[in-house]
Amino acid sequence: MRFNRILLAGTLVVVALVVQVSILGRLQLPGAVPDLVLLTVVALALVYGCVSGALIGFAAGLLADLAPPADHAAGRYALVLCVIGYVAGLVRPDSGRFRSAWGPMLTVVGAAFASTLLSAGVGALVGDTAARHVGLTGLLFTAVLYDLLLAPFTVPFIMALARRAESDPMAVDANGGAPAGKDIASGWLAGGTGLRIGSQRGGLRMKTARSRANRAGRIKGVKGIKGVKSVKKL
């Protein structure tokens, strides 16, 4: 992952976790709790892809496992969000942008449903039966409902931030250099002028070649005319 991705993802995940623990977790809503960390992972995975989504999901889940008042085994939610981040990244279109809002919203519904099932399944494997006491059906319904209501106010904003940081001309990679396949100066000029430097260079080369060809054709034409005139005189 590049440096700008790590910085933005880390900041968003920490902010989402603080808001979820300090505000959303204290609302005393029936059933599940709105999962802002899950929505953050899904939104970033829809922009960055499956590999980055899995890494971000694992790190976010591990932080959620260690943050108070967590009462379950560390690594449980990290596994769940790692799987969710990877699968959500697979939904990302090749162009990187969805044609409508249905794609991200359906992804949120699937992520909320799958994360609740995975959490209950992993909890059952380690002996945590809390989901049975609450009721898995009600937990699934409320988790999907709360996340779907919260998604329009968070997912588009996070995706816009991620795309903006992805096209940031001053961003550098993890090694401290320019992003792979991009020149910082070219990106800055392209961002400031609206022109593509690579295509501009290609266009200048084509114009130079055409001008040279035209000059050569004119010179040959002039020489041909002079030769004809000299033959006529003889």
Side-chain angles (χ1 to χ4, degrees):
M1 293 177 63
R2 293 184 297 183
F3 178 74
N4 60 329
R5 289 188 181 184
I6 297 174
L7 182 61
L8 178 64
T11 303
L12 291 176
V13 166
V14 170
V15 172
L17 183 59
V18 171
V19 173
Q20 181 169 331
V21 172
S22 60
I23 299 176
L24 299 178
R26 299 182 179 182
L27 294 178
Q28 301 297 326
L29 296 173
V33 177
D35 199 341
L36 186 58
V37 176
L38 173 68
L39 296 179
T40 302
V41 171
V42 170
L44 293 175
L46 290 177
V47 178
Y48 294 149
C50 55
V51 177
S52 297
L55 294 176
I56 294 171
F58 179 80
L62 190 59
L63 287 176
D65 287 331
L66 299 176
D71 56 353
H72 54 266
R76 173 178 161 184
Y77 202 49
L79 175 62
V80 172
L81 285 188
C82 180
V83 175
I84 295 298
Y86 183 82
V87 176
L90 295 177
V91 182
R92 175 181 178 270
D94 296 334
S95 61
R97 292 182 179 273
F98 290 90
R99 295 182 178 179
S100 65
W102 286 105
M105 292 301 104
L106 291 177
T107 306
V108 167
V109 172
F113 188 86
S115 65
T116 306
L117 281 181
L118 286 174
S119 297
V122 175
L125 290 177
V126 298
D128 185 2
T129 59
R132 296 180 183 178
H133 298 295
V134 176
L136 184 59
T137 303
L139 203 60
L140 286 172
F141 176 76
T142 53
V144 172
L145 178 63
Y146 296 155
D147 290 346
L148 189 59
L149 291 176
L150 188 60
F153 304 100
T154 56
V155 173
F157 176 71
I158 295 173
M159 292 179 68
L161 282 179
R163 290 195 184 102
R164 186 179 182 87
E166 191 73 359
S167 61
D168 186 2
M170 299 304 295
V172 295
D173 60 8
N175 297 324
K182 293 184 178 180
D183 182 13
I184 291 180
S186 299
W188 182 79
L189 289 174
T193 60
L195 300 176
R196 294 183 178 178
I197 304 302
S199 60
Q200 185 179 6
R201 291 176 179 174
L204 290 176
R205 291 177 182 176
M206 291 295 295
K207 289 181 181 180
T208 304
R210 289 176 181 176
S211 61
R212 290 178 180 176
N214 292 333
R215 289 178 182 177
R218 290 175 183 175
I219 293 173
K220 291 181 180 179
V222 172
K223 290 183 178 180
I225 294 173
K226 290 183 179 180
V228 171
K229 289 182 179 180
S230 60
V231 171
K232 289 182 178 180
K233 289 180 180 179
L234 292 175

